[in-house]
Amino acid sequence: RKRPALFKEFGQENAVFLMARLNGAAIGYAKIIINQTDNGGKNAFLAKLYFLKEHCHQGYGTQLMQRCLEEAAARGANMMY
């Protein structure tokens, strides 16, 4: 049985996944990639930000994006793009 592509992403060493939940149910997720820079620092790349259609345009994306920025900073990234 072939596994969905998302399962391969979970194996990425430098990937961080954040789940958005509402009343315990998953409504969206984000994936950020933390990379080493040439000068020894770190940066982060927002690779994915998805929400279920019925939860769009309600501010959840803004909240998850803020959480992504906080997580990237906590992991030593000085910028995210």
Side-chain angles (χ1 to χ4, degrees):
R1 183 174 159 187
K2 188 174 180 181
R3 298 182 91 183
L6 183 60
F7 283 97
K8 291 180 185 176
E9 293 186 43
F10 288 129
Q12 275 185 277
E13 189 173 308
N14 58 343
V16 178
F17 289 86
L18 301 166
M19 184 71 60
R21 294 185 176 274
L22 181 63
N23 299 323
I27 62 169
Y29 81 99
K31 174 186 176 184
I32 57 176
I33 306 294
I34 308 293
N35 294 309
Q36 286 290 139
T37 61
D38 292 337
N39 64 3
K42 293 181 181 179
N43 62 31
F45 169 70
L46 178 65
K48 296 184 188 274
L49 182 68
Y50 292 113
F51 278 88
L52 294 173
K53 187 177 181 178
E54 60 268 25
H55 296 291
C56 292
H57 307 290
Q58 298 179 38
Y60 299 123
T62 301
Q63 292 175 30
L64 186 55
M65 185 65 203
Q66 182 61 43
R67 183 68 187 99
C68 288
L69 291 167
E70 292 167 0
E71 186 65 27
R75 292 175 182 258
N78 57 11
M79 68 176 292
M80 189 161 85
Y81 56 98

